[in-house]
Amino acid sequence: MKIVDVYGIGKFGLSFEIFPPKTETGESQLFAALEALMAHRPSFVSCTYGAAGSTQDKTLELTTRIGKIFGVTTAAHRTCVGSTVEEIRQWLKEAVDLGIENIVALRGDPPKGQVEFKKSEGGLAYANELVTLIRQEFPHLSIAVAGYPETHQEAPSPAVDLANLKRKVKAGADAVLTQLFYDNRDFFEFRRRYEEAGITVPLIPGILPVVNLDQIQRITSMCGATIPVSFLAELEANRDDPDGQASVGVRYAIRQCRELLDAGIPGLHFYLLNKSEATFQILQALKLSR
Ligand code: FAD
């Protein structure tokens, strides 16, 4: 199935994002997590493209394997980091040869040690250029791109970021998957401006259930998402109780997703971090499966 056909009237898109593990143990854990979550019949599973070299080669292989083993639709992420246009083109050809139909097209973050993103020589500067390349040369591929309810960290203003997102969608994206966020008001305001700007492709909230306070503080400090004060206080109150942190996080995510569902979202994109427990509990509580 293509992402373009996942969302729409009478449909609900449920997707899971995973990353290529670095070890065999990590891989076993990932496959066990996916096995557990397949009962919820996801619309697709997407596999990230490593930020720094080591796991990049794995994305296509793992995406294909997950598709074969679980009989599920997949999407491979691709960034512009450290590649020439020709290298990206070859990678896309390989993806097509492997039967992959969906690409999550991204610019990527600056490599470790660099503050600003610098386009590689002969490479691409922004995700909209990658979308254009895919649309022109691989028109049958379906494309999702990233959107930022709290505005991308490098953007000078929400308005400029939205104009850039609009350009990226206009280049040929079929859906927008959002960065993780914890305050639904950020999403609703973003959706209002998104619609006002005339962007019509499905906007899918990205959900990362909190299971560990230190981990989520690390992640949010990197991606610029904020944790509401009252939620943070509840997590802090369980600082010495890992199970307590996870149950606060799961309860919060259930409430967050319920409110989003009531507001008519076309789908949910769960960042699994290769684990199933929290997302499984949330989907059970919401009675959500496709
Ligand atoms: P862009 O859309 O190119 O935007 C980057 C910045 O440039 C923004 O500030 C934007 O406003 C600005 N901009 C965009 N276009 C223009 C233009 N034409 N002219 C001037 N300014 C412009 N990272 C990975 O390394 N691997 C992954 O697999 C991965 N998967 C992700 C999946 C999702 C759903 C999300 C939300 C993020 C993911 N990321 C991933 C992180 C992502 O790479 C970073 O957030 C990165 O900093 C921006 O990527 P982008 O595609 O949004 O970039």
Side-chain angles (χ1 to χ4, degrees):
M1 196 199 284
K2 292 191 181 176
I3 285 180
V4 69
D5 299 317
V6 162
Y7 310 100
I9 296 163
K11 300 177 185 172
F12 187 80
L14 175 63
S15 51
F16 300 140
E17 179 173 316
I18 58 100
F19 62 84
K22 289 196 175 109
T23 62
E24 273 180 32
T25 313
E27 194 168 301
S28 308
Q29 280 164 359
L30 166 65
F31 277 83
L34 286 174
E35 178 87 49
L37 286 168
M38 281 301 140
H40 289 278
R41 303 184 57 230
S43 315
F44 66 94
V45 173
S46 81
C47 177
T48 64
Y49 188 77
S54 62
T55 63
Q56 289 180 348
D57 295 343
K58 278 189 153 185
T59 301
L60 289 182
E61 186 274 322
L62 188 61
T63 305
T64 315
R65 197 145 45 98
I66 288 170
K68 282 198 180 127
I69 291 178
F70 297 107
V72 66
T73 296
T74 54
H77 293 215
R78 184 54 156 102
T79 72
C80 308
V81 178
S83 301
T84 62
V85 169
E86 190 46 36
E87 284 163 348
I88 296 174
R89 186 178 284 126
Q90 288 309 321
W91 186 94
L92 288 164
K93 273 190 189 142
E94 200 184 331
V96 169
D97 288 347
L98 288 165
I100 291 168
E101 295 184 300
N102 302 299
I103 303 293
V104 182
L106 304 139
R107 185 202 69 179
D109 285 317
K112 256 195 191 132
Q114 274 179 34
V115 185
E116 272 178 40
F117 181 90
K118 283 200 189 82
K119 94 170 198 182
S120 315
E121 208 170 313
L124 302 172
Y126 296 106
N128 67 287
E129 298 173 13
L130 177 56
V131 176
T132 301
L133 172 76
I134 299 170
R135 266 292 155 265
Q136 284 174 352
E137 301 190 21
F138 304 89
H140 66 285
L141 286 174
S142 205
I143 306 169
V145 292
Y148 300 85
E150 296 181 74
T151 302
H152 186 261
Q153 281 165 305
E154 294 165 36
S157 71
V160 170
D161 202 30
L162 190 66
N164 288 330
L165 175 59
K166 186 170 179 178
R167 182 189 299 112
K168 187 160 66 170
V169 172
K170 223 169 152 198
D174 299 308
V176 174
L177 307 172
T178 81
Q179 183 60 279
L180 57 102
F181 61 93
Y182 293 101
D183 190 336
N184 282 348
R185 286 173 301 183
D186 291 327
F187 177 81
F188 294 138
E189 173 58 13
F190 180 59
R191 184 172 70 169
R192 187 191 64 72
R193 295 191 302 107
Y194 180 98
E195 288 169 357
E196 208 170 85
I199 310 176
T200 54
V201 300
L203 176 66
I204 317 303
I207 302 292
L208 173 60
V210 175
V211 291
N212 178 286
L213 179 55
D214 289 338
Q215 179 192 49
I216 201 59
Q217 286 185 315
R218 221 170 27 246
I219 292 174
T220 52
S221 73
M222 283 190 302
C223 74
T226 49
I227 308 174
V229 177
S230 56
F231 182 28
L232 190 58
E234 237 192 304
L235 290 164
E236 290 277 12
N238 287 274
R239 163 99 27 223
D240 300 325
D241 175 8
D243 291 344
Q245 288 171 33
S247 55
V248 167
V250 166
R251 271 203 310 276
Y252 189 90
I254 292 168
R255 277 200 307 275
Q256 185 184 8
C257 292
R258 267 209 187 109
E259 191 180 38
L260 291 166
L261 289 166
D262 288 345
I265 46 159
L268 279 169
H269 184 68
F270 283 93
Y271 294 101
L272 295 189
L273 298 184
N274 293 3
K275 302 226 163 74
S276 63
E277 295 80 5
T279 303
F280 190 82
Q281 288 174 44
I282 294 159
L283 295 175
Q284 290 286 101
L286 297 171
K287 298 190 174 40
L288 202 64
S289 80
R290 203 163 46 89

